[in-house]
Amino acid sequence: MQYDKKEIISQLENQSKALRSWFMEKPAQKMEFAPEGAWSAGQHLLHLIKSAKPLVKGMSYPRLLLRLKFGKVNNPSRSYEETVAFYQQALANGGRAMGEYIPRQVTKEEREVLLKRFDEEMNMLMAQLQKWSEKNLDKTAVPHPLLGNLTMREMLYFTIYHTEYHRKILKSDIRSVRYRAICFLAVCFLFSGCALMRGVFLGYPDHKDIQRFPSSEIAVGEECFEFKADVNSISAKLKVTDWSSGSPYFVTLDQLNESRPVRSMLIIRNDTLLYKFYGQKTSDEDLNPSYSVAKSFTSALIGIAISERKIKSVNDKVVDYIPELKAIPMADKLEVEHLLNMTSGIKLKLKTDAQLYYGNDVLRVLNSVAFEHEPGTFQEYVNLNVQLLGIILHRATGMKPSEYLSEKIWKPINMCTNAIWTTDKNGEDKTFCCMGATALDYAKFGRLFLNNGSWNGTQIVPKEWVEKSVSRDTTNGSSFGYNYNWHIGEKAYGDYMADGMYKQHIYVQPEKNIIVILMCNKDNALKAERVRWRHVFRQIVDQL
């Protein structure tokens, strides 16, 4: 859809009002609170001000000056939807705010001042827009720090969505579980084993949790596959930058890994281990928590279950396996594929995330499922989606997901070490996260997908499932960057990865047969925000 000036102004007004309303409804203290690894509400607001300011300034310049400085526009403006998709792709590829657009810390006393500044910037933007012709909006180029040159119309589309995007983060940031848990503290004292209470005392998830919580064993078979090794061949040659300083400061991989809480990094090409690093007092025998990396394993198990006719297809209705959901409005439209693509429409609830991670009864969350969107129309990352897949696997196969994983993947691809999968008190595997395995065994899962689901000539995961999982699909509410619980990378690299909360990655680059494994402990929130590991992986690829 192409918006004209009047429609753009209307959209800007609506998004500005919605953002202001959100801030006015929240206590001033919210300005300062920053969920682990994220910005505070005040920083989000300051970032939006910083983003709008140069656009307002640019719109005040003579059109001829802008064309002389930034060149002519040779292509028609993208539609609003295309501009949003372009931005989402940049985010999926690891794009983040940098330099002057990274906000400083904000205090609660600044709320009114910053809201006033935001209103002023948006009002000036709309006033400047009134002076522009429809033709000039499409014929004038302006630079975007992440997206490159855009037409002025596209930049305005970006500003509309950018404001909405940050408001949605403020509304539904799943990493603020502990903050919300404190609000329920008094209630939790009344209930033994309360998940929210446990979350308050244990704090944010960390690497010790796989030992704190009960778990299932993912058993190995009799054989153990080992990669060939040539670990001294590239370690001194590769130079990379993580961009955390805002400038291209290049260091060796060892220097980079020693500066961050890296547990392990492996680089494998053509079945040969070219580089290995173990930090944080770990070794190749230690189990590494990988958080949401487990989602990609769960997805592979769904593909295998479908190939075995345990599950008929991705279009199966979820209520056929989980009838407890039947009475919930819109649940009858929910399909297995919606859970795989995070397009279920299920409402994101921080309390549910806390119950899933810290709770003792996974099935209890079925009582609080509600839909915010019709299934298949809107993509939002909701952990519950993958836990529902785990319940489906358990009921469809008659085996716990950990048992099914052992029989269908762990043993067939000759994993070397027994792994674990965190469970609730009833032994239900927490399939949305919470797996522990060695770095080398994670690499074998990457090798399995690198070879289209085949292991030394034996098809383990159906080839068509692997191809579907790591391809782009924007239908039915999906996006360019996420499909079947895999993160899809840049088109130029053809890469993809399984991705965990604290910089855990199984990175695969098929063209050069490269696998990179990264396992980290929780980092400093600000530094974690700035480190661009995906860019580091691609720098490695470029040099091999």
Side-chain angles (χ1 to χ4, degrees):
M1 178 184 296
Q2 292 286 10
Y3 294 148
D4 61 21
K5 282 200 319 181
K6 184 177 179 181
E7 290 168 324
I8 290 173
I9 290 172
S10 176
Q11 290 289 336
L12 289 170
E13 287 178 338
N14 291 339
Q15 293 301 332
S16 299
K17 288 177 181 177
L19 186 73
R20 169 172 269 282
S21 296
W22 187 91
F23 273 96
M24 296 310 295
E25 291 169 0
K26 300 295 180 291
Q29 289 83 353
K30 186 71 174 176
M31 293 288 288
E32 298 180 355
F33 177 78
E36 188 68 18
W39 291 344
S40 68
Q43 287 176 301
H44 280 283
L45 181 58
L46 183 55
H47 171 70
L48 289 172
I49 294 169
K50 286 174 171 287
S51 298
K53 197 173 186 68
L55 178 57
V56 173
K57 187 175 181 180
M59 292 194 78
S60 68
Y61 289 160
R63 317 301 181 256
L64 180 58
L65 178 61
L66 290 174
R67 289 172 190 168
L68 289 173
K69 186 174 181 62
F70 302 118
K72 295 180 179 180
V73 175
N74 297 317
N75 298 309
S77 293
R78 297 177 179 89
S79 68
Y80 175 78
E81 292 80 7
E82 290 170 336
T83 305
V84 169
F86 187 39
Y87 176 56
Q88 289 174 336
Q89 178 61 45
L91 294 178
N93 290 338
R96 295 292 184 271
M98 61 183 72
E100 63 182 299
Y101 297 101
I102 298 176
R104 59 170 173 77
Q105 296 296 322
V106 173
T107 67
K108 61 184 179 182
E109 288 79 15
E110 294 180 89
R111 181 171 70 169
E112 291 303 323
V113 173
L114 289 179
L115 282 173
K116 182 179 179 181
R117 282 181 58 192
F118 176 74
D119 289 342
E120 288 173 349
E121 292 295 340
M122 298 306 285
N123 287 335
M124 285 191 290
L125 178 61
M126 289 183 279
Q128 288 294 339
L129 177 55
Q130 294 281 16
K131 303 174 185 178
W132 281 65
S133 69
E134 297 286 354
K135 180 179 179 180
N136 280 330
L137 289 177
D138 295 314
K139 294 298 182 181
T140 307
V142 284
H144 186 283
L146 186 60
L147 305 179
N149 272 12
L150 301 177
T151 68
M152 188 61 77
R153 191 183 301 275
E154 290 169 343
M155 186 67 82
L156 291 164
Y157 287 165
F158 164 79
T159 304
I160 293 168
Y161 179 73
H162 192 223
T163 307
E164 179 186 15
Y165 172 76
H166 281 272
R167 179 171 58 84
K168 286 184 175 179
I169 292 177
L170 291 170
K171 183 180 177 182
S172 61
D173 195 329
I174 63 174
R175 291 169 291 185
S176 60
V177 173
R178 189 181 182 191
Y179 175 76
R180 291 294 184 92
I182 293 172
C183 299
F184 290 93
L185 189 58
V187 177
C188 288
F189 274 112
L190 302 176
F191 300 95
S192 62
C194 175
L196 297 175
M197 188 66 171
R198 188 176 296 111
V200 171
F201 285 110
L202 292 180
Y204 289 102
D206 64 30
H207 64 280
K208 298 177 182 177
D209 288 346
I210 59 172
Q211 304 301 330
R212 289 182 178 132
F213 300 146
S215 61
S216 298
E217 182 181 75
I218 305 168
V220 298
E222 296 180 358
E223 297 184 36
C224 168
F225 174 86
E226 295 185 0
F227 293 99
K228 294 176 287 186
D230 186 13
V231 294
N232 296 318
S233 63
I234 66 167
S235 58
K237 299 177 183 178
L238 294 181
K239 295 292 181 68
V240 297
T241 177
D242 64 4
W243 291 94
S244 59
S245 66
S247 60
Y249 180 73
F250 288 87
V251 297
T252 66
L253 283 174
D254 281 352
Q255 289 172 322
L256 173 60
N257 290 329
E258 287 166 359
S259 72
R260 306 261 57 83
V262 174
R263 294 172 61 87
S264 53
M265 176 184 269
L266 309 177
I267 300 174
I268 297 162
R269 185 180 186 189
N270 296 330
D271 284 348
T272 300
L273 179 64
L274 300 178
Y275 176 81
K276 66 177 180 179
F277 176 91
Y278 292 98
Q280 303 290 294
K281 300 179 179 179
T282 68
S283 72
D284 58 358
E285 297 179 353
D286 283 288
L287 302 185
N288 297 279
S290 57
Y291 305 98
S292 288
V293 166
K295 289 178 170 69
S296 301
F297 283 86
T298 302
S299 171
L301 294 179
I302 291 290
I304 294 172
I306 290 174
S307 72
E308 295 181 337
R309 304 300 295 167
K310 306 285 187 183
I311 298 170
K312 295 177 184 177
S313 80
V314 292
N315 302 122
D316 279 6
K317 300 296 185 183
V318 172
V319 293
D320 291 343
Y321 301 92
I322 311 177
E324 295 96 320
L325 302 178
K326 280 186 176 180
I328 301 171
M330 291 196 285
D332 61 323
K333 299 180 180 180
L334 182 62
E335 299 177 359
V336 171
E337 188 167 52
H338 298 144
L339 301 177
L340 288 163
N341 277 340
M342 297 289 179
T343 57
S344 67
I346 291 175
K347 186 175 183 180
L348 176 63
K349 295 181 180 180
L350 301 179
K351 180 179 178 182
T352 299
D353 277 331
Q355 288 175 330
L356 285 175
Y357 190 81
Y358 295 106
N360 287 324
D361 187 355
V362 164
L363 295 181
R364 187 177 178 184
V365 302
L366 299 179
N367 300 324
S368 59
V369 172
F371 288 81
E372 189 170 20
H373 305 278
E374 182 177 332
T377 63
F378 183 80
Q379 188 174 61
E380 185 170 26
Y381 194 92
V382 177
N383 286 316
L384 179 57
N385 289 331
V386 187
Q387 189 58 51
L388 294 179
L389 289 175
I391 295 171
I392 291 172
L393 276 170
H394 196 171
R395 295 179 179 182
T397 65
M399 302 172 69
K400 293 173 57 175
S402 54
E403 297 169 336
Y404 198 57
L405 177 59
S406 173
E407 292 301 317
K408 301 301 178 181
I409 294 180
W410 223 254
K411 292 177 181 177
I413 70 173
N414 306 326
M415 297 294 202
C416 296
T417 306
N418 291 335
I420 59 176
W421 212 333
T422 297
T423 72
D424 65 10
K425 67 178 181 181
N426 301 315
E428 192 75 37
D429 295 326
K430 296 186 176 182
T431 50
F432 73 97
C433 82
C434 315
M435 183 185 292
T438 67
L440 283 164
D441 282 344
Y442 284 125
K444 291 165 199 171
F445 186 65
R447 181 182 188 264
L448 178 65
F449 267 69
L450 179 65
N451 291 299
N452 293 312
S454 176
W455 190 265
N456 296 339
T458 301
Q459 200 69 39
I460 306 299
V461 182
K463 180 180 179 181
E464 58 272 19
W465 184 267
V466 174
E467 291 174 345
K468 173 67 175 176
S469 297
V470 300
S471 62
R472 300 181 191 280
D473 182 3
T474 59
T475 62
N476 301 319
S478 293
S479 70
F480 281 97
Y482 193 86
N483 198 42
Y484 279 33
N485 295 141
W486 284 87
H487 293 260
I488 314 301
E490 292 187 2
K491 291 181 180 179
Y493 286 86
D495 51 5
Y496 56 88
M497 67 199 81
D499 200 355
M501 179 169 63
Y502 293 138
K503 314 295 183 181
Q504 292 83 30
H505 300 281
I506 301 175
Y507 172 86
V508 180
Q509 206 279 341
E511 183 180 351
K512 292 188 175 182
N513 289 324
I514 292 173
I515 303 163
V516 181
I517 303 300
L518 179 71
M519 295 288 143
C520 294
N521 286 337
K522 183 165 68 73
D523 201 352
N524 171 273
L526 182 59
K527 291 180 179 179
E529 173 70 20
R530 290 180 173 178
V531 174
R532 309 288 180 86
W533 283 108
R534 298 180 185 198
H535 294 332
V536 171
F537 301 154
R538 289 166 188 143
Q539 291 170 54
I540 292 170
V541 168
D542 288 341
Q543 296 175 69
L544 290 180

